[in-house]
């Protein structure tokens, strides 16, 4: 075999001194998960999670950032602090089974998301008052998500924050269930794709 | 007159020819000339070209660009200078690779292309064996780009200097001199930014570099061709280095200090869309473009030694130019917006001094020595110093006074601020590009009148 032929094989047919410019050129573009042009704001408030038709985080919402607010508090029981725990992302039949997400505050006074727990303990006196739990979920590259759980008191002072990157955006999709405690309102706020009717096909209790 | 006014009031080619200074620096230079190649001879590249052509200690061996008009302007400058015409590479976006491959004994490269080309061009140069790479501001786009460049510089044991010219501004160097002499006491807080109405840079008519239309991308000319697109797709402090470079020097960042954390906030995006509607009408196709960049992006940084820094990026609104510097310590402060200095015990209590008296008194030795040569260079003379520092380092084989760690830390503010905004103004940790070396490195920038 001639030297040239060897080079041709080695360099995929081009002579060795010809440059390989096959690499793609740098492109500046907005990541798809940040584009929400044409979407419509979504807001729903629920007073209860009814047993037959449960509240869900909808497929439309998980494409964009969304916020869940839970009005709760008064976590004392005759035996001490009760804690509150919300389970999200419970999949019904037809959706791929993924790990569910539990979050809230435990009886010791620590915020938690899945197996992640906040470092500082919330004072007992603060937990027996009126509170709001705010969950902010932001899509991230490669289908991941960034979640922040905040505990805010009656006058709007942030008492504790816990952030988690353990879950994918898909994890959040599905039914919400209260595992422990009580709440007096639950709000879901985000953006949805313009095909508004899609919203009606999912199982939401109160419109 | 600044670059923009200058080019606007003169025809482009004439402008390119006129910026050539009269005097030659290092005339009859006897040592070995520094071989340099240029990637990108657009409007900024031509500023550098003018300075390089003025020097007898440098041999411009090759230039590369993809835009015939820019190349013609550069060629006219070279012809006028009487220097030999370098080899010209053009034709496609990777002609610079051919230039690197075919240019023998290339010592140094100067990059003045759009931001997105800096990283591939720097790393390509290092891989081709070039030991001194100067790049215009912004090292890369993503945080990973910044690490890639740092690691490539370390691997090839090469110098990558970002041409952060504002570090050499006369008032900035005088204030650094004052800081080093302890006039402001222990430095606690600093401010800076890029507050420059760029609407006529981001939009033009495709012929003139500034204004005259609302075109950008393919239909734009010079920076409108590429820079505006960053405002369409990105929301963060897109141009932090002119603000951060000077203040970083005052507190020895990467040399005994480092940036620890950052958080950014962006306003709504209005100015660019409004400019299109006001100047092109609401039916102009560009009026449909949605810009992600907030008009004003404010970033707060915390440093390891306790100092805080506020940076502002403000390029979409009508406003006179100002980098908004403030350098404040336990004994006094400088603010450039009101040209004022206050030094406790020396200034009248609670009254500003006119900064000029102080700045004249503490004029930096570099400006005292080279002030005459520098006045002809762009941006108030500071461009001379930044090129001079690069060339002197390369000639002597010494580290550049602004190195790859400075470049990475300053330029990485962009992807970090984007991430902070994306996460809802979250406070983001700053990576340590020096991998711990910041604790033992000594200050080297502008210590004397050499370079
Ligand atoms: N430090 C300062 O004061 C200052 C001032 C202006 C610009 N800049 C910086 O300088 C750089 C260039 O800006 P500019 O104003 O000259 O823009 P410009 O658009 O006028 O010039 C860029 C040049 O790069 C060329 N180019 C693009 N892709 C190329 C490729 N693949 N190969 C070769 N050439 C290519 C273009 O054709 C153009 O001539 C940017 O980083 C900008 O931020 C710095």
């Amino acid at each position: 075999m001639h030297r040239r032929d060897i080079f041709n094989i080695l360099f995929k047919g081009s002579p060795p001194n010809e440059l390989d410019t096959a690499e793609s050129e740098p492109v500046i573009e907005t990541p798809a998960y940040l584009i929400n042009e044409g979407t419509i704001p979504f807001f729903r408030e629920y007073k209860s999670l009814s047993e037959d038709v449960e509240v869900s985080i909808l497929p439309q919402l998980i494409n964009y950032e969304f916020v869940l607010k839970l009005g709760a508090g008064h976590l004392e029981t005759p035996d001490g602090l009760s804690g509150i725990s919300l389970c999200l992302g419970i999949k019904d039949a037809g959706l791929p089974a993924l790990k569910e997400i539990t979050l809230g505050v435990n009886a010791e006074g620590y915020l938690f998301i899945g197996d992640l727990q906040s470092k500082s303990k919330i004072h007992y006196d603060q937990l027996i008052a009126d509170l709001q739990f705010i969950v902010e979920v932001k899509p991230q590259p490669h289908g991941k998500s960034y979640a922040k759980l905040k505990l805010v008191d009656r006058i709007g002072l942030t008492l504790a924050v816990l952030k988690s990157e353990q879950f994918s955006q898909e994890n959040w999709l599905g039914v919400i269930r209260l595992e422990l405690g009580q709440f007096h309102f639950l709000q879901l706020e985000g953006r949805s794709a313009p095909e508004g009717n899609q919203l009606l096909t999912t199982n939401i209790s109160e419109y | 007159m600044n670059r923009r006014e200058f080019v606007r009031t003169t025809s482009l080619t004439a402008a390119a020819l006129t910026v050539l200074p009269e005097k030659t620096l290092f005339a009859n230079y006897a040592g070995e000339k520094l071989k340099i190649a240029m990637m990108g001879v657009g409007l900024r590249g031509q500023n550098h070209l003018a300075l390089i052509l003025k020097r007898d200690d440098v041999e411009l061996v090759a230039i590369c660009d993809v835009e015939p008009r820019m190349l013609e302007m550069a060629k006219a400058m070279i012809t006028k200078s009487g220097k030999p015409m370098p080899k010209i590479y053009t034709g496609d976006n990777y002609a610079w690779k051919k230039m690197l491959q075919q240019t023998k004994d290339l010592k140094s490269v100067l990059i003045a292309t759009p931001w997105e080309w800096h990283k591939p061009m720097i790393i390509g140069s290092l891989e081709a064996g070039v030991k001194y790479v100067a790049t215009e501001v912004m090292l890369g786009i993503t945080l990973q780009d910044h690490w890639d460049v740092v690691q490539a510089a370390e691997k090839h044991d090469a110098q990558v200097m970002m041409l952060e010219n504002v570090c050499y501004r006369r008032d900035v160097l005088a204030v650094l001199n004052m800081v080093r002499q302890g006039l402001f006491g222990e430095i606690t807080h600093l401010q800076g930014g890029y507050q420059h109405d760029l609407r006529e840079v981001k939009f033009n008519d495709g012929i003139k570099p500034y204004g005259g239309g609302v075109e950008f991308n393919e239909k734009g000319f010079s920076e409108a061709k590429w820079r505006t697109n960053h405002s369409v797709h990105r929301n963060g402090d897109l141009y932090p280095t002119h603000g951060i470079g000077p203040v970083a020097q005052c507190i020895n960042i990467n040399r005994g200090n480092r940036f620890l954390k950052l958080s950014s906030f962006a306003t709504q995006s209005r100015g660019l869309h409004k400019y299109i509607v006001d100047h092109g009408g609401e039916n102009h196709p560009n009026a449909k473009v949605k810009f992600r960049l907030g008009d004003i992006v404010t970033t707060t940084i915390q440093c390891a030694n306790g100092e805080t820094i506020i940076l502002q990026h403000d390029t979409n609104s009508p406003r006179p130019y100002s980098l908004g510097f403030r350098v404040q310590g336990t004994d006094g402060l400088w603010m450039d917006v009101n040209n004022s200095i206050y030094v406790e015990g020396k200034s009248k209590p609670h009254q500003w001094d006119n900064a000029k008296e102080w700045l004249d008194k503490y004029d930096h030795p570099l400006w005292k020595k080279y002030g005459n040569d520098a006045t002809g260079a762009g941006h108030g003379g500071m461009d001379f110093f930044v090129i001079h520092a690069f060339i002197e380092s390369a000639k002597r084989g010494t580290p550049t006074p602004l190195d790859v760690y400075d470049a990475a830390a300053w330029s990485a503010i962009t992807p970090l601020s984007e991430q902070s905004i994306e996460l809802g103004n979250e406070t983001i940790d700053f990576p340590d590009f020096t991998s711990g070396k910041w604790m033992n490195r000594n200050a080297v920038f502008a210590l004397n009148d050499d370079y």
Side-chain angles (χ1 to χ4, degrees):
Chain A
M1 199 185 272
H2 286 295
R3 240 170 76 97
R4 173 174 295 274
D5 295 332
I6 297 170
F7 276 128
N8 278 350
I9 291 166
L10 275 177
F11 293 94
K12 297 199 183 77
S14 57
N17 62 349
E18 208 158 281
L19 288 165
D20 173 18
T21 55
E23 60 196 271
S24 55
E25 293 186 3
V27 180
I28 304 299
E29 58 186 18
T30 311
Y33 63 89
L34 290 178
I35 302 173
N36 62 12
E37 245 172 290
T39 57
I40 46 172
F42 173 95
F43 178 82
R44 296 284 179 272
E45 178 164 319
Y46 313 91
K47 295 288 177 207
S48 71
L49 306 174
S50 86
E51 277 171 25
D52 47 344
V53 209
E54 290 157 306
V55 175
S56 292
I57 294 188
L58 310 166
Q60 292 91 331
L61 292 186
I62 65 154
N63 292 327
Y64 315 100
E65 61 177 77
F66 64 87
V67 181
L68 180 144
K69 286 185 186 160
L70 191 76
H74 307 287
L75 301 182
E76 66 198 319
T77 65
D79 309 325
L81 217 52
S82 76
I84 184 164
S85 171
L86 206 60
C87 184
L88 300 106
I90 303 164
K91 308 286 188 284
D92 58 13
L95 284 176
L98 281 174
K99 205 170 149 198
E100 291 158 2
I101 304 167
T102 50
L103 53 80
V105 64
N106 62 25
E108 286 77 47
Y110 294 94
L111 287 184
F112 68 91
I113 307 177
D115 39 27
L116 203 70
Q117 189 174 299
S118 62
K119 292 210 166 53
S120 55
K121 189 174 174 154
I122 303 151
H123 198 272
Y124 183 91
D125 291 347
Q126 292 175 317
L127 290 171
I128 58 173
D130 211 5
L131 295 169
Q132 241 191 73
F133 292 82
I134 302 174
V135 187
E136 292 173 0
V137 180
K138 292 174 196 292
Q140 290 290 287
H142 315 298
K144 292 201 279 199
S145 79
Y146 182 81
K148 187 149 83 170
L149 171 63
K150 291 187 282 194
L151 184 63
V152 178
D153 75 5
R154 189 179 44 84
I155 58 162
L157 186 70
T158 304
L159 302 175
V161 181
L162 181 64
K163 301 161 193 173
S164 157
E165 288 175 310
Q166 312 169 65
F167 300 101
S168 71
Q169 196 70 4
E170 283 277 316
N171 272 121
W172 298 92
L173 175 65
V175 171
I176 300 172
R177 188 173 294 147
L178 195 65
E179 303 235 297
L180 175 68
Q182 283 181 338
F183 71 90
H184 49 269
F185 73 83
L186 186 150
Q187 291 173 353
L188 209 47
E189 196 175 345
R191 303 196 75 83
S192 69
E195 302 91 334
N197 284 346
Q198 281 183 11
L199 294 176
L200 300 170
T201 63
T202 52
N203 32 350
I204 287 181
S205 60
E206 293 170 34
Y207 269 90
Chain B
M1 192 188 287
N2 63 27
R3 171 177 76 127
R4 182 167 155 196
E5 288 158 356
F6 191 69
V7 179
R8 207 213 303 254
T9 49
T10 338
S11 90
L12 271 179
T13 318
L17 295 175
T18 337
V19 287
L20 275 177
E22 307 289 306
K23 215 176 107 203
T24 300
L25 253 192
F26 303 98
N28 308 320
Y29 174 72
E32 196 190 336
K33 291 189 184 199
L34 177 74
K35 281 192 179 168
I36 194 165
M38 289 184 70
M39 298 177 184
V41 285
L43 296 190
R44 183 63 178 155
Q46 290 168 38
N47 288 159
H48 295 313
L49 180 62
L51 289 165
I52 284 173
L53 291 172
K54 197 182 165 190
R55 300 182 69 113
D56 266 356
D57 53 349
V58 181
E59 184 188 352
L60 180 65
V61 289
I63 60 175
C64 174
D65 203 296
V66 290
E67 177 106 17
R69 200 172 147 204
M70 295 295 195
L71 276 171
E72 284 314 312
M73 290 158 78
K75 281 185 342 200
M77 291 172 73
I78 297 163
T79 307
K80 176 92 192 287
S81 76
K83 295 272 170 87
M85 186 59 67
K87 191 145 192 258
I88 290 171
Y89 290 84
T90 186
D92 69 74
N93 273 329
Y94 284 96
W96 55 274
K97 285 207 169 184
K98 208 173 276 171
M99 175 171 86
L100 287 171
Q101 202 184 47
Q102 293 181 358
T103 313
K104 294 239 155 36
D105 302 325
L106 186 59
K107 275 270 170 55
S108 60
V109 160
L110 193 159
I111 300 165
T113 50
W115 303 331
E116 52 270 38
W117 282 101
H118 294 179
K119 170 194 136 169
M121 288 175 167
I122 297 167
I123 295 181
S125 302
L126 297 175
E127 284 174 350
V130 176
K131 291 293 179 208
Y132 283 84
V133 178
T135 177
E136 252 311 333
V137 293
M138 304 316 294
L139 210 54
I141 305 296
T142 65
L143 191 61
Q144 184 64 50
D145 288 347
H146 291 76
W147 276 112
D148 290 347
V149 173
V150 166
Q151 283 160 358
E154 287 172 342
K155 178 176 155 199
H156 295 283
D157 194 16
Q159 297 294 315
V160 175
M161 173 166 165
M162 192 167 68
L163 299 173
E164 189 21 81
N165 46 345
V166 183
C167 290
Y168 290 94
R169 210 170 83 174
R170 194 167 201 153
D171 55 348
V172 162
L173 277 180
V175 168
L176 178 64
N177 201 9
M178 292 179 73
V179 169
R180 286 178 172 167
Q181 296 196 34
L183 271 108
F184 300 122
E186 182 184 349
I187 299 301
T188 49
H189 177 73
L190 307 103
Q191 294 184 9
Y194 190 62
Q195 309 183 125
H196 189 182
D197 177 0
L198 288 185
R199 293 172 305 161
E200 290 195 346
V201 171
K202 295 187 189 190
F203 302 115
N204 56 37
D205 57 4
I207 300 161
K208 290 196 291 294
Y210 308 115
V214 294
E215 302 299 344
F216 68 97
N217 283 357
E218 298 77 30
K219 289 187 176 170
F221 175 61
S222 188
E223 297 202 357
K225 216 179 184 71
W226 56 270
R227 186 178 192 152
T228 318
N229 196 38
H230 290 264
S231 307
V232 177
H233 294 292
R234 308 174 72 194
N235 191 9
D237 186 334
L238 298 188
Y239 211 54
T241 72
H242 292 334
I244 198 68
V247 301
Q249 299 295 4
C250 291
I251 50 172
N252 297 319
I253 293 299
N254 290 333
R255 293 174 169 82
N257 200 358
R258 79 177 192 91
F259 303 134
L260 279 187
K261 297 159 195 272
L262 149 169
S263 72
S264 294
F265 290 80
T267 68
Q268 68 274 45
S269 173
R270 294 287 183 267
L272 297 182
H273 172 75
K274 182 175 186 298
Y275 185 89
I276 292 171
V277 172
D278 289 351
H279 293 83
E282 57 192 29
N283 293 324
H284 192 282
N286 287 345
K288 289 201 187 72
V289 176
K290 201 165 175 280
F291 293 93
R292 288 195 65 234
L293 177 66
D295 285 354
I296 294 152
V297 176
T298 305
T299 299
T300 308
I301 300 175
Q302 174 85 60
C303 304
N305 291 343
E307 307 89 342
T308 55
I309 302 171
I310 294 176
L311 285 181
Q312 292 203 301
H313 182 260
D314 172 357
T315 59
N316 300 348
S317 311
R319 58 157 302 140
Y321 179 91
S322 156
L323 296 187
F325 285 119
R326 166 165 160 188
V327 175
Q328 184 161 12
T330 51
D331 293 346
L333 77 162
W334 168 57
M335 287 184 69
D336 80 337
V337 176
N338 61 349
N339 289 316
S340 295
I341 283 181
Y342 179 78
V343 179
E344 192 174 48
K346 302 209 162 106
S347 309
K348 286 200 193 97
H350 300 285
Q351 274 184 46
W352 291 109
D353 288 340
N354 184 345
K356 189 171 182 313
E357 303 150 26
W358 289 97
L359 299 178
D360 286 350
K361 185 168 173 202
Y362 287 92
D363 197 21
H364 192 278
L366 269 170
W367 272 91
K368 281 193 186 141
K369 180 170 166 187
Y370 287 110
N372 287 342
D373 294 314
T375 41
H379 287 93
M382 57 198 176
D383 292 347
F384 162 82
F385 291 102
V386 78
I387 288 291
H388 179 64
F390 176 71
I391 290 171
E392 285 304 318
S393 309
K395 270 163 54 185
R396 301 172 197 200
T398 53
T400 50
L402 308 176
D403 65 12
V404 73
Y405 302 116
D406 299 320
W410 303 350
S411 164
I413 289 168
T414 300
L416 293 171
S417 73
E418 287 180 272
Q419 177 73 355
S420 169
I421 290 169
E422 207 176 281
L423 296 180
N425 320 105
E426 206 57 79
T427 300
I428 304 287
D429 280 347
F430 222 101
D432 172 16
F433 291 104
T434 72
S435 304
K437 293 195 284 283
W438 64 274
M439 289 184 245
N440 300 313
R441 281 157 44 99
N442 291 323
V444 294
F445 174 76
L447 293 179
N448 51 38
D449 69 356
D450 216 1
Y451 63 90

